[in-house]
Every structure is written in structure tokens, then in C-alpha cells.
Amino acid sequence: MVEFRIDRRSGVATYLQIVQQVKQALRLGLLAPGDKLPTAKEVVAATAINPNTVLKAYRELDREGLVEARPGLGTFVRRSLARPQAAAGSPLRAELADWMHRAREAGLDREDVAALLASVLEEGYEDEGGGPSGAAGTAEREVK
């Protein structure tokens, strides 16, 4: 079962944080088709957010075809986003974990790592989006 972590200081709407966390769990294979999501009541008890926020997130996931609500039973995963390359035992994940260890040993904090990853991610996928975008892309364009 997925446990949601809400960061009230992130600037990201709470319902979107739930949507993103479900998608991440689907990508990593932590949730699979047929799995039941926590009920709105369970999420509210664990996170102290409004039940309508949970329902809004679940409706968005349903709209995207990732989950389906079954009246009286709950909300269930309809399809997975998992790829073998992202699985817990995959070589790519192991390499990334090793890199993370080296980054921490080098003294990088969470924000440093996030900025570095965002920058490399933007560079790696520039051809898909027509160039850098967002704050990291803007900063990159200004430096050049």
C-alpha cells in the first residue's frame, strides 16, 4: 500500500502531490493493476488533508486511465507505468544509487542534488520539448 507524504511548503497543490506519488509508485512497480489505493478516509487520517482533495486526486488519476473507482469497494489500479529498467534490482537504478552515495560523500545536500538532476534531465530531454524550460532551463539560458 502506498503512503502519501504531503509537503505543504512545496508550492505544489496537495492533490497534485498525491497524483505524482501514485504515478511514481506505478512507475517503480510499487503499485500494480488490481492493487487498491487507500480510501480517502485513510489518507485523511494519515495526512490531515481535506477528503475532497484526495477525491480530486483520485478523479484525476481515473481521468488519466490509471485507476478506477468501484462503488462500495474502493479505488483500484487499472494499469501500470512500470518499466523493467526502473525496477529495484535494475542496473540503472543501482548506478543511480551509487551516484547518489558519491554525491552525498562529496557534501551535496538534497537541494544541490535536485538542482543537478533537474539540469541534467533538461539537457538529456531538450530535443523532446523544444529546448530548456522551467526555472532550471531559464537559469541555464541566462548563464550561456
Side-chain angles (χ1 to χ4, degrees):
M1 170 119 14
V2 65
E3 293 181 24
F4 298 112
R5 292 184 180 90
I6 305 303
D7 182 357
R8 294 171 185 356
R9 297 174 291 149
S10 72
V12 176
T14 304
Y15 89 95
L16 285 177
Q17 290 183 50
I18 293 171
V19 169
Q20 290 168 350
Q21 289 174 41
V22 168
K23 286 180 176 180
Q24 181 175 6
L26 290 169
R27 288 186 197 294
L28 296 175
L30 302 173
L31 285 173
D35 287 349
K36 183 179 178 188
L37 294 182
T39 65
K41 186 176 182 177
E42 291 168 336
V43 176
V44 168
T47 61
I49 61 174
N50 188 304
N52 290 328
T53 301
V54 180
L55 297 174
K56 182 175 181 179
Y58 285 9
R59 279 192 305 273
E60 176 64 20
L61 291 163
D62 185 31
R63 188 188 65 73
E64 293 183 27
L66 299 174
V67 303
E68 64 181 332
R70 298 181 191 159
L73 298 175
T75 302
F76 293 83
V77 174
R78 182 181 293 167
R79 67 182 177 93
S80 176
L81 298 174
R83 295 193 177 159
Q85 303 89 330
S90 76
L92 284 175
R93 186 177 173 99
E95 289 176 32
L96 186 56
D98 183 53
W99 179 87
M100 184 71 230
H101 179 73
R102 292 193 322 269
R104 291 189 72 183
E105 282 183 339
L108 297 178
D109 65 18
R110 182 180 298 265
E111 290 79 17
D112 296 330
V113 169
L116 185 56
L117 286 172
S119 174
V120 172
L121 186 65
E122 286 293 327
E123 290 171 10
Y125 287 95
E126 276 183 348
D127 57 336
E128 289 183 9
S133 63
T138 302
E140 183 178 313
R141 284 192 301 269
E142 290 173 359
V143 172
K144 287 184 176 180

